[in-house]
Amino acid sequence: MPSGEKQMYGEAEEFAKQMKLLVNNKDLHDIQFVIGPARKKVYAHRCILSGRCEVFRAMFVDHTQKNGPIEKDTPFILSDMTPEVFLAMLEFIYTNTIVLNPNTAIDVMATALEYGLDDLKNLCEEYLVDSLNSSNACDRMQAAQTYRLDDLKRKTLEYIETNTQSVFDSKGFEELSEDTLCCILSSDCLMLDEMEIYTCVRRWASVNSVVSGKKIDQVATLAVTHLRLPLLTLEEVDQLEKDNKTDNLLPVESMALAWKLHATKQGDKGNPLFTRRKGTAPRDTHRYLDSSQS
């Protein structure tokens, strides 16, 4: 910048307010989209979309190369998106601000990832973390796992670790995918005893068995391998074995590992299944675990 010049900035809030008037403005548009199964028309401006989003720019260039100039009434059909999510994305593109709510935040984040809008993705992640509660933590953990968002996953898992009981009791827990459940069960910091964790996993498996039409042991093949059965007493392991005869939820190998601890009175150093979680209730047999760490 030449000497004596200085970049000055106007009022961002007022600018955003004025730009928002252009969102879905039919009178001034030069392009239209047809959104979702209901085929709702949404109006926009190519220059703004192209300047702010490389995906839109490439979309328009590709269309022009294949079909010639774009007319203002040429429909761009986006059948796999809802109008609410699309308009939220447009609001951000036009104003660099967005209003998020619990019903749309995850879908807007997914759309931001699809359209390469990193700043919008970051705002969605911030919103999802700031509004975490026991009812939505599992949904947000699932989203973090699905879209490979490590920061969101880390922060959501920290919340789950602190509020394990209420999160595991939520409806969202039953709707977790098995790989996301495995990710949660891998944590040493869950504030819940292993017998209670087992009960919750059994509930998850029962619900998903009904939903999928598969046997209970088939839907939880991986999840049950993260249960730390060696942390339980001899009496608890005996009860689990009796319960297991009805549906074979727990694999033979997991049961054998628990019995082995009580038979040999020795843990398995370095094996996470012998590691107590933060919420593990103390048991006399844990002295075997302590001796194996020396």
Side-chain angles (χ1 to χ4, degrees):
M1 185 175 293
S3 177
E5 290 188 357
K6 179 181 179 181
Q7 185 76 45
M8 306 296 291
Y9 296 92
E11 177 55 51
E13 185 175 347
E14 184 61 27
F15 173 79
K17 181 179 179 180
Q18 293 173 359
M19 287 296 294
K20 190 172 181 177
L21 297 175
L22 296 177
V23 177
N24 200 19
N25 189 314
K26 184 177 181 179
D27 294 334
L28 301 174
H29 80 284
D30 61 5
I31 191 169
Q32 66 172 281
F33 295 88
V34 177
I35 309 298
R39 300 181 64 82
K40 178 180 175 61
K41 290 185 178 181
V42 174
Y43 305 96
H45 308 82
R46 276 178 288 159
C47 60
I48 296 176
L49 299 187
S50 298
R52 291 273 286 157
C53 177
E54 179 61 28
V55 172
F56 276 122
R57 190 195 72 79
M59 182 189 301
F60 301 149
V61 169
D62 180 67
H63 185 280
T64 300
Q65 291 175 344
K66 292 179 179 178
N67 305 292
I70 299 174
E71 302 294 335
K72 65 181 298 185
D73 294 323
T74 300
F76 280 75
I77 300 174
L78 301 175
S79 57
D80 59 346
M81 192 180 302
T82 67
E84 188 175 9
V85 169
F86 186 72
L87 286 169
M89 178 176 67
L90 285 191
E91 179 184 341
F92 175 79
I93 289 174
Y94 278 71
T95 70
N96 212 40
T97 67
I98 187 169
V99 176
L100 293 169
N101 65 65
N103 297 322
T104 63
I106 291 177
D107 289 336
V108 172
M109 182 179 67
T111 301
L113 288 166
E114 181 181 355
Y115 282 78
L117 299 169
D118 290 341
D119 287 347
L120 176 56
K121 184 265 295 184
N122 292 338
L123 290 177
C124 290
E125 283 194 75
E126 181 181 343
Y127 173 85
L128 292 172
V129 170
D130 290 346
S131 57
L132 268 171
N133 60 51
S134 297
S135 298
N136 63 35
C138 288
D139 292 339
R140 292 171 187 195
M141 187 68 181
Q142 184 65 57
Q145 185 82 351
T146 299
Y147 300 114
R148 300 180 181 180
L149 300 171
D150 292 338
D151 191 50
L152 178 60
K153 181 192 294 187
R154 177 180 59 80
K155 292 176 180 177
T156 305
L157 182 57
E158 288 175 356
Y159 181 90
I160 294 172
E161 289 168 342
T162 304
N163 303 275
T164 310
Q165 182 71 73
S166 58
V167 172
F168 277 33
D169 286 342
S170 72
K171 181 66 175 177
F173 179 80
E174 299 172 358
E175 299 171 352
L176 288 169
S177 68
E178 187 176 19
D179 65 326
T180 303
L181 177 58
C182 289
C183 179
I184 295 171
L185 294 177
S186 297
S187 172
D188 293 339
C189 298
L190 297 177
M191 289 299 297
L192 200 61
D193 184 65
E194 207 64 28
M195 274 299 290
E196 294 171 302
I197 291 175
Y198 159 76
T199 300
C200 292
V201 171
R202 174 171 280 281
R203 187 184 90 243
W204 174 91
S206 297
V207 170
N208 283 271
S209 173
V210 173
V211 171
S212 66
K214 297 180 180 179
K215 293 182 179 180
I216 190 172
D217 59 318
Q218 294 176 325
V219 300
T221 304
L222 295 176
V224 293
T225 64
H226 292 275
L227 292 173
R228 304 181 182 187
L229 303 186
L231 302 181
L232 305 178
T233 66
L234 187 65
E235 293 74 19
E236 288 170 327
V237 175
D238 183 56
Q239 185 59 53
L240 289 189
E241 187 164 74
K242 292 176 182 177
D243 295 343
N244 206 46
K245 291 178 180 179
T246 61
D247 51 29
N248 298 311
L249 174 63
L250 301 172
V252 173
E253 295 80 7
S254 295
M255 296 300 302
L257 201 62
W259 284 119
K260 181 180 178 181
L261 174 72
H262 294 287
T264 64
K265 295 181 172 49
Q266 185 174 351
D268 188 357
K269 187 175 183 179
N271 187 335
L273 298 183
F274 288 77
T275 301
R276 281 167 287 189
R277 307 182 197 267
K278 277 191 175 181
T280 301
R283 294 169 172 82
D284 290 341
T285 51
H286 290 171
R287 64 183 184 276
Y288 307 145
L289 306 177
D290 296 334
S291 64
S292 71
Q293 303 304 313
S294 58

